[in-house]
């Protein structure tokens, strides 16, 4: 391509952004490249989705083992349940980091689906993003994370980890109240750390987890379906 042709290229021009129509009308080299590109992005999405599932499985396994051990005998220290919370938070942080990486490739795949394949299936609807080719090209040149760490933590808490932490919290409260002959403050003590201090730390931690989960914020993750997205799929007239 000559320098003059490069300078004249406009990725937002209708004939350039709506390459889905071109893929249907005629077989093009660009269409073949985009098909392979999409296949590669979906492979990355699947790989990172599996990594996230693995951290979730390990978190559930560890929590199950902690619960079994904590209630195996009356002499077991309730502190093991607090240790389980700490380990769960570690898995939460790991999964939130993986979720941010997963979102990079998921966002690219959705960009291609919205503006290439959807346009190929119905060219009359145009494309979702006029500058989609430019945005996708820039993201390949300069890859960036799409969502902040706080949103990733909040989304993983809301979908998986908050219920797991609630299970551990309920088990800990039950362990230091119903299954302990000592006063609650004494039963909550961990070694030389007073029970009142432990109760305070646990309370602050739980409040922080709830705030992080439900604090309103602008949604940065784009292209994902939500629980309220209900479509009329394959409806018969």
């Amino acid at each position: 391509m000559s320098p003059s042709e490069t300078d004249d290229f406009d990725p937002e021009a209708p004939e350039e952004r709506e390459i889905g129509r071109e893929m249907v009308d005629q077989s093009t080299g660009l269409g073949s490249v985009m098909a392979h590109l999409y296949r590669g992005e979906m492979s990355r999405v699947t790989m990172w989705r599996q990594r996230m599932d693995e951290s979730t499985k390990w978190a559930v396994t560890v929590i199950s083992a902690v619960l079994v051990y904590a209630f195996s005998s009356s002499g077991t220290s309730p502190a093991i349940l607090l240790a389980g919370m700490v380990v769960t938070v570690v898995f939460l942080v790991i999964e939130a980091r993986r979720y941010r990486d997963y979102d990079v490739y998921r966002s690219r795949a959705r960009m291609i689906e919205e503006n290439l394949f959807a346009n190929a299936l119905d060219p009359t609807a145009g494309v979702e993003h006029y500058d989609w080719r430019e945005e996708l090209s820039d993201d390949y040149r300069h890859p960036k994370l799409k969502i902040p760490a706080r949103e990733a933590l909040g989304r993983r808490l809301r979908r998986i980890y908050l219920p797991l932490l609630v299970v551990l919290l309920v088990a800990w409260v039950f362990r230091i109240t119903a299954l302990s002959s000592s006063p609650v403050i004494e039963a909550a003590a961990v070694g030389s750390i007073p029970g009142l201090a432990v109760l305070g730390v646990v309370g602050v931690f739980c409040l922080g987890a709830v705030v992080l989960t439900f604090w309103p914020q602008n949604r940065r993750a784009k292209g994902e379906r939500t629980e309220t997205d209900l479509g009329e799929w394959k409806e018969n007239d």
Side-chain angles (χ1 to χ4, degrees), residues 164-183:
L164 297 180
L165 290 171
V166 169
V167 169
L168 287 172
L169 177 63
V170 171
W172 179 70
V173 172
F174 184 75
R175 189 69 178 74
I176 65 176
T177 54
L179 297 183
S180 177
S181 57
S182 304

Side-chain angles (χ1 to χ4, degrees), residues 72-128:
S72 60
S73 67
S74 58
T76 304
S77 173
I80 188 64
L81 294 166
L82 299 179
M85 290 185 187
V86 174
V87 174
T88 303
V89 171
V90 172
F91 281 117
L92 167 63
V93 174
I94 293 174
E95 187 161 324
R97 292 181 60 185
R98 291 178 174 178
Y99 181 81
R100 298 181 77 191
D101 289 321
Y102 157 81
D103 182 72
V104 171
Y105 306 112
R106 181 204 56 77
S107 298
R108 290 176 180 173
R110 284 294 299 144
M111 182 72 80
I112 297 173
E113 290 171 351
E114 289 177 321
N115 300 282
L116 180 62
F117 295 119
N119 181 245
L121 292 170
D122 183 11
T124 62
V127 295
E128 293 294 322

Side-chain angles (χ1 to χ4, degrees), residues 133-175:
R133 293 184 64 177
E134 186 175 0
E135 288 188 13
L136 193 59
S137 173
D138 182 68
D139 194 59
Y140 277 116
R141 295 177 188 273
H142 310 287
K144 298 180 183 67
L145 295 172
K146 306 296 186 295
I147 60 175
R150 189 179 73 171
E151 180 177 348
L153 287 169
R155 293 177 71 83
R156 301 323 293 164
L157 273 168
R158 185 162 54 251
R159 295 191 175 186
I160 297 174
Y161 283 88
L162 187 62
L164 297 180
L165 290 171
V166 169
V167 169
L168 287 172
L169 177 63
V170 171
W172 179 70
V173 172
F174 184 75
R175 189 69 178 74

